[in-house]
Amino acid sequence: MQPQPAETQLAEPAAPESQSAPESQTMEELADRVWEMQEAEQRFYGLLEALGDLVIHRDREGRILYANRILGELMECDARELFGKSLTQLGINVGVTPESASADGEHLTSTDVSIQTVGGLRWFSWTEISLRDRESGSVSHWAIARDITARKRAETALVNARERAEQASFAKSRFLATVSHEIRTPMNGIMGMAKLLADTKLSAEQRTYVGAISTSASALLALIEDLLDYSKIEAGRLELEPQRMSVRELVESVVELMAARAFGKKIGLGCHIAPQVPDTIVADPGRLRQVLLNLLGNAIKFTEEGGVLVTVAAVTHEGKPALAFKVDDTGPGIEKDDLARIFQEFEQADTSSTRPHGGAGLGLAITRRLVDAMGGAIAVESAPGEGAAFTFHVPLVDPEGASSEAVLALKGWDVAILTPHAVEGEALAMSVRAHGGKARVFDGEKSALALLRRRKAGFDAVIIDASLENETGDLLGRLRRKGLHAGQALTLIAPTDRSRLTKLRANGYSAFIARPVRDRTLLRLLLNAQAAESTAANEEAEGRAAPGDRGGLKVLVAEDNEINAMLARAALSKAGHKVTIVSNGRAAVDALAHPARDYDMVLMDLHMPVMDGLDAIVNIRLYEEETGLPPVPILVLSADGQEKTRQRALAHGATGFVTKPLDPDRLLSALEVHAAA
């Protein structure tokens, strides 16, 4: 309602005869001011009417004193008809600001208000100022509201689009996980059965064919995994899962995982983690493991002679504390012009049609993306014929257990290392030197004898690669007869050397160290010769020397896939274990949730009918808690190698996690580790 100014014509009053001239002038000035005020009021309300925004003036009780035409149009009535009504009566949910809020003279509020109209729901950005009159003390409220319906609709559309995108992303995630599982399951059968077949009596021609099957299956699996990872990254679903993790355990487990591949090519594989590296940090272990596997797998693939060395050190990178992971190889090297592009998608150092190694060129591109996501950086140094060194840095977040107390634990020690694998020998020497000792590496008997001829050699310890020993195992004895003096002798063994342990111990070795060597294992064995002898004797007695010498474990395998179950049974039975197969989680619970159970180990598949693996583990652990039975070790078998899947299984009570495709050697190693724990 628009108040109209009075239309009174102000005629000049006739001055009484008694009025003086100054009084007549004052009346004229007053009339002019009244007229100006009326004109100003008309211009003010005219301006409010011309605004495209809604304007309302209310009294202290919330009754409308004035509303411009916009509100009238919304309510489909004349604006003057709204005089004296409240906003609540009009269906507008805007209350009255309490008078106490404008105690200082004024109070400003702002909110978004919806108004239901005949044309649909409309939204307004409502700003209101409450004013207190200085003379009367009364309060009134002026509001201006701008139509933001289009913006609200856009926001709603954006929210809906985001929700649809999240649902689509979740669907893609489930699809990729399903595809990964469905691909890995038959690949597990192909690779596992080829491995078992290779251990049977075959002709040379048949062995060649089986080797081709294994090689092709491994290449296909690696390609599939790269494509799945790349599709996740391109879909923007690269999500980090930072958590507290052990750097040393992760790196050494990755190196041990790749050891069989390196030893199969008869190249060395060494690992050195500086003592100053923290015991634990906060990072994504799954992504960090993936980066290391990619770099180490590439290094082994391209190295035909020499070996690969993995080192980890605590450094300062770009002014901030970081961990530096370095993978050195003695491969063919990379041309200078190729160094920059090898981190691009679908690029390879050798793009010729005659290149000796295949691949889609995604491994390093994925690696770079992962390192970038972790806030790090990756670089490579290489030259043709000089190998390659890949280094990546990740931020050192919340380190714990960083200590230099053990740095001088070997101070004054002198250690001789005899091995044909220069890379592994150097890794051992780095470990000895990092703890304050001296170490010399010899490539074999001749180089060691050359030192003995020059002077009498006395060492606190000598470490000899078992591959240098002949059938009689007399190398250590010959060196001692030539003047070698050593406080203790240790031998380096590969998995294929375990059957020789009895003879090696009989020839004077106090302990053995499994390749690839863990830093802390080496330090422990060197510092305590008695403990070393005890450890070696115990490990040999437990059956590490030869699987057939032990009674074997009673293993329950819960696996619904017949081929995978057959593979597990064959691998475990061949190693001397007694195997029982069940096809679902409910059957596993029935076999384990009673006092008469008689199993030493459980292999539990995650995805099974009737009851899945996680539910089965929970039921088994609950029964053990209720009855006081000791927890039976449960290793989860899964084709889903994502870190969140691994952590979820462990959180449900699993003891360990083994990723499919199953490698019989890896499976047996996992069994030994967890059975002895």
Side-chain angles (χ1 to χ4, degrees):
M1 180 185 72
Q2 177 183 349
Q4 300 296 327
E7 297 181 356
T8 306
Q9 293 184 357
L10 298 178
E12 294 184 4
E17 294 180 0
S18 59
Q19 265 186 329
S20 63
E23 291 178 348
S24 175
Q25 185 177 0
T26 300
M27 291 297 295
E28 291 177 359
E29 291 176 353
L30 179 60
D32 289 340
R33 290 196 189 107
V34 170
W35 183 253
E36 289 173 358
M37 290 175 63
Q38 291 175 340
E39 283 189 333
E41 185 178 18
Q42 281 187 329
R43 287 195 299 270
F44 173 71
Y45 284 105
L47 179 62
L48 296 184
E49 290 298 319
L51 282 176
D53 299 331
L54 186 154
V55 181
I56 298 176
H57 183 203
R58 297 186 293 164
D59 65 13
R60 64 192 303 171
E61 304 298 332
R63 295 184 294 266
I64 296 176
L65 300 176
Y66 166 79
N68 68 348
R69 62 178 178 82
I70 302 299
L71 182 60
E73 292 173 357
L74 288 176
M75 298 294 106
E76 295 187 315
C77 66
D78 191 309
R80 288 174 293 187
E81 297 176 10
L82 303 176
F83 181 82
K85 294 182 179 180
S86 67
L87 292 179
T88 304
Q89 290 175 300
L90 302 179
I92 302 175
N93 187 23
V94 178
V96 179
T97 303
E99 291 192 21
S100 59
S102 54
D104 295 333
E106 62 182 45
H107 179 71
L108 186 68
T109 59
S110 180
T111 186
D112 290 347
V113 175
S114 61
I115 300 178
Q116 187 65 50
T117 67
V118 175
L121 189 67
R122 303 280 292 276
W123 281 90
F124 290 83
S125 177
W126 190 286
T127 302
E128 186 167 275
I129 186 170
S130 302
L131 300 172
R132 182 179 295 275
D133 187 89
R134 293 181 180 178
E135 295 181 1
S136 65
S138 62
V139 176
S140 64
H141 312 278
W142 281 93
I144 183 168
R146 175 157 295 179
D147 193 330
I148 56 170
T149 304
R151 192 190 79 187
K152 281 289 185 178
R153 288 174 179 170
E155 290 176 354
T156 302
L158 185 61
V159 170
N160 292 336
R162 184 175 67 248
E163 290 177 351
R164 287 194 299 270
E166 289 174 350
Q167 292 174 355
S169 178
F170 179 72
K172 289 178 182 177
S173 179
R174 292 194 60 181
F175 171 75
L176 288 172
T178 302
V179 168
S180 175
H181 181 271
E182 294 302 319
I183 290 173
R184 283 174 175 268
T185 298
M187 290 300 293
N188 178 55
I190 295 171
M191 298 175 69
M193 289 302 172
K195 177 73 173 178
L196 292 176
L197 185 59
D199 292 336
T200 63
K201 293 181 180 180
L202 300 174
S203 66
E205 183 180 11
Q206 290 171 329
R207 193 168 297 281
T208 300
Y209 296 157
V210 171
I213 293 173
S214 297
T215 301
S216 300
S218 298
L220 178 59
L221 183 64
L223 176 60
I224 291 169
E225 289 178 340
D226 282 348
L227 290 174
L228 288 173
D229 286 335
Y230 184 71
S231 65
K232 291 179 184 178
I233 293 173
E234 286 299 295
R237 296 190 304 103
L238 178 56
E239 297 178 358
L240 298 182
E241 299 177 11
Q243 57 191 269
R244 184 153 296 282
M245 52 156 284
S246 170
V247 179
R248 190 175 300 274
E249 182 61 34
L250 184 143
V251 174
E252 290 177 336
S253 65
V254 168
V255 172
E256 289 173 354
L257 180 64
M258 304 299 290
R261 191 182 302 180
F263 297 160
K265 297 185 68 174
K266 300 187 183 304
I267 62 174
L269 177 60
C271 174
H272 172 67
I273 302 174
Q276 294 82 4
V277 171
D279 290 336
T280 63
I281 63 171
V282 173
D284 186 328
R287 298 305 184 184
L288 194 55
R289 181 185 292 106
Q290 187 175 356
V291 170
L292 286 170
L293 284 171
N294 280 345
L295 295 180
L296 194 52
N298 267 358
I300 293 173
K301 179 172 73 172
F302 290 102
T303 302
E304 301 298 333
E305 296 180 351
V308 179
L309 176 63
V310 180
T311 57
V312 185
V315 299
T316 299
H317 181 66
E318 296 182 349
K320 298 179 180 179
L323 285 182
F325 299 82
K326 189 176 183 181
V327 179
D328 277 292
D329 67 61
T330 58
I334 305 171
E335 295 285 350
K336 183 178 180 180
D337 293 341
D338 297 327
L339 292 178
R341 66 180 181 82
I342 59 173
F343 290 107
Q344 302 300 319
E345 287 81 356
F346 313 109
E347 291 285 356
Q348 294 179 324
D350 184 357
T351 58
S352 67
S353 59
T354 58
R355 66 181 186 270
H357 302 284
L362 285 174
L364 289 178
I366 293 171
T367 297
R368 179 181 59 82
R369 295 278 195 100
L370 294 176
V371 173
D372 289 345
M374 290 187 286
I378 187 170
V380 58
E381 296 177 358
S382 182
E386 298 182 7
F390 285 84
T391 303
F392 70 94
H393 296 83
V394 295
L396 192 54
V397 180
D398 196 13
E400 287 186 359
S403 173
S404 59
E405 293 180 3
V407 170
L408 301 180
L410 296 179
K411 184 177 182 180
W413 280 64
D414 198 353
V415 180
I417 302 168
L418 278 72
T419 176
H421 305 292
V423 168
E424 289 189 56
E426 183 57 31
L428 290 171
M430 291 171 66
S431 295
V432 173
R433 294 165 188 154
H435 292 89
K438 296 179 181 178
R440 276 172 282 189
V441 182
F442 305 95
D443 59 8
E445 183 177 359
K446 289 183 179 180
S447 59
L449 289 175
L451 174 66
L452 294 177
R453 283 194 294 268
R454 290 197 301 270
R455 65 180 179 84
K456 184 178 180 180
F459 296 95
D460 296 280
V462 60
I463 302 172
I464 300 177
D465 196 313
S467 64
L468 295 174
E469 288 280 9
N470 56 24
E471 290 300 321
T472 62
D474 192 38
L475 173 59
L476 178 59
R478 293 197 304 272
L479 291 174
R480 281 177 169 166
R481 289 191 293 271
K482 294 290 185 178
L484 174 68
H485 299 281
Q488 57 176 300
L490 296 85
T491 180
L492 288 172
I493 65 166
T496 54
D497 297 321
R498 293 187 182 276
S499 59
R500 303 172 58 194
L501 282 177
T502 302
K503 183 176 291 185
L504 291 170
R505 283 180 52 78
N507 286 337
Y509 290 101
S510 59
F512 72 86
I513 313 176
R515 300 169 55 202
V517 178
R518 293 194 174 208
D519 285 350
R520 292 182 175 177
T521 301
L522 174 65
L523 182 63
R524 174 174 55 84
L525 293 176
L526 288 177
L527 290 176
N528 193 337
Q530 184 177 0
E533 293 181 7
S534 175
T535 300
N538 288 339
E539 288 178 335
E540 186 176 353
E542 288 171 3
R544 288 182 177 267
D549 293 339
R550 59 175 176 257
L553 302 172
K554 294 181 179 179
V555 183
L556 177 69
V557 178
E559 171 63 72
D560 64 309
N561 184 277
E562 293 183 3
I563 295 178
N564 289 339
M566 186 190 308
L567 170 61
R569 182 192 292 277
L572 296 173
S573 298
K574 188 174 181 179
H577 302 299
K578 298 178 181 179
V579 182
T580 301
I581 304 290
V582 295
S583 60
N584 59 70
R586 170 51 60 191
V589 173
D590 293 341
L592 294 166
H594 62 80
R597 72 181 188 186
D598 187 21
Y599 293 102
D600 303 305
M601 180 71 63
V602 180
L603 302 182
M604 184 78 70
D605 187 29
L606 275 189
H607 303 287
M608 293 183 291
V610 184
M611 178 183 289
D612 67 20
L614 292 181
D615 288 340
I617 293 173
V618 170
N619 279 273
I620 293 166
R621 296 307 187 212
L622 285 174
Y623 175 79
E624 291 169 343
E625 291 179 5
E626 292 171 356
T627 59
L629 284 174
V632 61
I634 301 177
L635 299 184
V636 166
L637 307 178
S638 177
D640 185 355
Q642 298 180 82
E643 185 62 25
K644 62 183 179 182
T645 304
R646 180 190 303 268
Q647 294 300 325
R648 187 181 175 205
L650 297 177
H652 278 71
T655 311
F657 191 95
V658 180
T659 305
K660 297 177 182 177
L662 290 179
D663 178 87
D665 291 336
R666 284 171 49 204
L667 178 60
L668 293 175
S669 296
L671 240 66
E672 289 183 354
V673 169
H674 292 286

